[in-house]
Amino acid sequence: MLPTLTGLDHLVVAVRDLDAAAAQWAALGFTLSPRGLHSAHIGSANYTMMFGEDYLELLGVVTPTPHNQALRDFVDAREGLDRAAFTTTDAGVGADALRARGVDAVGPVHFSRPVPLPDGNEAEARFSVFRWPVAARVGGLGIFACQHHTRDAVWVPSLQAHANGATRIRRVLVATDDPAGSAAALAAAIDAAAVQDGHFHVVATAPTRGAVAFAPRDVIARLAQCDAAVLPREGGAAMVLGTATPRAPGFATGVAVIFEAN
């Protein structure tokens, strides 16, 4: 892995109406955090669904800013799985490592958000991120890295239990007509290996973290038991979550959600 990266951190689901999206994901059996508002220069707000080491994030624009231009461009076209984040132990060192390779990294960008806690108190979550350039999207999926300065403010124990039994991200499924090429591009971007697993080309991120898998849209639709037309031809299409309670796949805000036994 690229220096400072330790595996898949979270998935960003970009939405137009945060509260409506939150209701859809809650209906699938997820426990959502209270709505969070990012720093003014970021101009976005979110809900999170926390697991043991990783999480899902619903993200929407509150105020247009230069920082959220890419997010606005995405939701102008569709809602859905926009980006995957990797955990970084040092966003500044990670960004410098990319630049040393000739990659036009964005960041590090520092920001925070207040976190309303279930007991009525409030904490502050602080982050630093760096991004690969928009042109480096792999199979239509954006990639960036996130450094958590205040993990206890994000991984709140009472928010980690879900009625659907979900406990972790097992795989991110990316639809593309060139799965081999997209997997090779991601592997090169993060210093990992790409392997073929049936119809999927898979890039592992860490032994206990989720992998990123690329396949044609029809292949993902069969696995998700949904109509291929509801999934993007190119881009993040589905997620496979580990669960203690196996259940049928679901669908919310342009994303197929597949549950597999841990």
Side-chain angles (χ1 to χ4, degrees), residues 94-173:
D96 286 344
L98 284 186
R99 293 188 187 101
R101 299 173 179 209
V103 178
D104 189 16
V106 179
V109 177
H110 311 286
F111 63 98
S112 64
R113 61 177 170 86
V115 179
L117 300 175
D119 63 6
N121 292 317
E122 185 174 273
E124 182 186 44
R126 293 182 289 106
F127 313 88
S128 298
V129 301
F130 70 89
R131 302 198 310 265
W132 281 256
V134 173
R137 291 178 76 94
V138 286
L141 182 74
I143 54 175
F144 70 107
C146 180
Q147 180 180 1
H148 294 272
H149 299 291
T150 52
R151 290 185 66 87
D152 289 347
V154 178
W155 273 269
V156 178
S158 62
L159 298 177
Q160 292 176 258
H162 304 276
N164 58 28
T167 60
R168 58 171 294 210
I169 302 167
R170 294 175 63 89
R171 278 189 178 183
V172 189
L173 305 185

Side-chain angles (χ1 to χ4, degrees), residues 60-82:
V61 173
V62 175
T63 304
T65 71
H67 182 85
N68 62 42
Q69 181 64 59
L71 175 62
R72 285 183 281 136
D73 291 343
F74 185 90
V75 295
D76 280 348
R78 70 178 182 96
E79 294 184 292
L81 183 50
D82 176 20

Side-chain angles (χ1 to χ4, degrees), residues 8 27 37 134 154 163 170 172 175 177 189 193 196 211 224 239 248-249 261:
L8 186 70
L37 181 66
V134 173
V154 178
R170 294 175 63 89
V172 189
D177 291 334
Q196 187 168 0
M239 59 184 69

Side-chain angles (χ1 to χ4, degrees), residues 78 81 172-175 217 220 231-232 235-239 251 254-257:
R78 70 178 182 96
L81 183 50
V172 189
L173 305 185
V174 185
R217 177 173 65 174
I220 297 173
L231 302 178
M239 59 184 69
F251 190 83
V255 184
V257 184

Side-chain angles (χ1 to χ4, degrees), residues 139 174-186 194-196 199-203 213-217 219 234:
V174 185
T176 175
D177 291 334
D178 181 18
S182 296
L186 176 60
V195 299
Q196 187 168 0
H199 293 293
F200 289 90
H201 290 258
V202 183
V203 178
F214 301 86
R217 177 173 65 174
V219 171
E234 187 89 1

